[in-house]
């Protein structure tokens, strides 16, 4: 008898091979394999004395704009130096093998798009998008200065209204972007397979997506080295890192990353 891991991989590959729509839902574990620290892990060094809430609310930004903007500018610099791992390439390979694949991510690093994924829904925004605080006027990412060192950095002023420029991410107390939420929930409700990769299943409302898919009859595959809140209701669980499991899954389907 094959070991459970191979049984799960084979079952996942067979389900994917029959699917018309696949949703790949990714979380912080996906990014961590490329060396990107999670939100709380990034609060090290100079930033270690701050609570996450002090760096990720509108009130904190209004109170200390240079501190908050400097932290996000430093995070963007770390992300830009990162390289998408083999798991990202495997998702791109799935897009070539299957009729329709939609990536829904909680991550703000943009690695899916950099790896070549064509349809990516960023539920929590992006470190590469900026807008002004008061009116929401967009601001070009290339015009945002990069920090010379880890520390405070004054945000630019909006050329249209003078308000400070903020990162285009979802802060604590803010609602998720309406268009992205609609796309993600609609796809979750009609997908044949959902791959849940590197997420704890704790961050709401994104954590509800696998349940939406499962309740609608989808085959839910968890890819995670550790048990999570997704594990109990996943159809199959593939224990291991995304960089190992996803290429193996593509190979079982006859493709290559």
């Amino acid at each position: 008898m094959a070991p459970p891991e191979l049984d799960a991989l084979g079952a996942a590959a067979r389900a994917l091979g029959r699917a018309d729509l696949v949703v790949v839902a990714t979380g912080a574990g996906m990014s961590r394999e490329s060396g990107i620290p999670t939100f709380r892990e990034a609060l090290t060094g100079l930033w270690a004395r701050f609570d996450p809430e002090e760096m990720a609310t509108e009130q904190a930004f209004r109170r200390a704009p240079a501190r908050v903007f400097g932290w996000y500018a430093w995070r963007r610099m770390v992300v830009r130096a990162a390289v998408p791992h083999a798991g990202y390439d495997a998702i791109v390979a799935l897009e070539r093998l299957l009729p329709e694949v939609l990536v829904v991510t909680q991550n703000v690093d943009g690695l899916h798009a950099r790896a070549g994924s064509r349809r990516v829904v960023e539920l929590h925004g992006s470190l590469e998008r900026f807008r002004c605080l008061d009116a929401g006027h967009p601001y070009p990412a290339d015009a945002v200065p990069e920090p010379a060192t880890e520390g405070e950095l004054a945000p630019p002023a909006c050329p249209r209204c003078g308000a400070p420029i903020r990162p285009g991410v979802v802060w604590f107390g803010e609602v998720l972007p309406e268009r992205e939420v609609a796309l993600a929930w609609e796809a979750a409700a009609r997908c044949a397979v959902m791959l849940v990769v590197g997420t704890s299943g704790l961050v709401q409302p994104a954590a509800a997506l696998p349940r939406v898919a499962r309740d609608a009859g989808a085959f839910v595959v968890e890819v995670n080295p550790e048990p999570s809140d997704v594990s109990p209701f996943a159809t199959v669980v593939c224990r291991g890192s995304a960089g190992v499991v996803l290429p193996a899954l593509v190979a079982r389907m006859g493709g290559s990353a």
Side-chain angles (χ1 to χ4, degrees), residues 11-247:
R14 288 191 295 274
L16 285 167
R18 298 189 297 266
D20 52 355
L21 168 62
V22 173
V23 173
V24 183
T26 66
M30 186 79 183
S31 297
R32 192 184 292 117
E33 288 183 60
S34 284
I36 296 175
T38 65
F39 179 78
R40 284 168 176 78
E41 288 169 348
L43 287 163
T44 59
L46 177 67
W47 311 112
R49 65 184 185 273
F50 299 109
D51 292 331
E53 287 77 5
E54 292 184 70
M55 307 301 265
T57 66
E58 180 180 329
Q59 294 76 14
F61 183 75
R62 291 187 182 278
R63 186 167 54 248
R67 178 197 302 162
V68 173
F69 195 82
W71 186 59
Y72 279 95
W74 173 77
R75 286 183 66 199
R76 184 174 74 140
M77 188 170 62
V78 170
V79 163
R80 284 185 162 187
V83 177
H85 57 72
Y88 290 95
D89 296 331
I91 293 172
V92 176
L94 284 177
E95 295 177 16
R96 295 193 296 265
L97 291 169
L98 301 173
E100 185 178 5
V101 175
L102 178 70
V103 177
V104 178
T105 186
Q106 299 173 55
N107 301 329
V108 297
D109 49 52
L111 287 188
H112 283 293
R114 282 172 53 191
S117 284
R118 297 186 300 273
R119 297 183 63 209
V120 182
V121 174
E122 295 172 314
L123 287 177
H124 293 170
S126 171
L127 290 170
E128 288 294 342
R129 289 199 293 274
F130 296 86
R131 64 180 185 272
C132 76
L133 181 64
D134 294 330
H137 297 136
Y139 190 83
D142 290 345
V144 174
E146 289 201 356
T149 59
E150 183 180 338
E152 295 191 353
L153 180 67
C158 176
R160 296 175 61 182
C161 67
I165 297 300
R166 58 159 287 176
V169 299
V170 178
W171 281 334
F172 292 122
E174 296 181 332
V175 297
L176 300 187
E178 184 176 334
R179 174 181 174 275
E180 281 75 7
V181 167
L183 284 171
W185 260 255
E186 187 272 335
R190 68 179 181 89
C191 69
V193 177
M194 177 175 284
L195 286 174
V196 187
V197 185
T199 177
S200 64
L202 294 173
V203 179
Q204 295 292 351
L209 283 172
R211 294 182 183 274
V212 170
R214 183 63 188 270
D215 290 347
F219 191 100
V220 177
V221 181
E222 183 187 35
V223 178
N224 202 317
E226 304 292 337
S228 75
D229 277 23
V230 177
S231 304
F233 63 89
T235 313
V236 297
V237 175
C238 297
R239 285 281 168 254
S241 65
V244 173
V245 173
L246 293 179

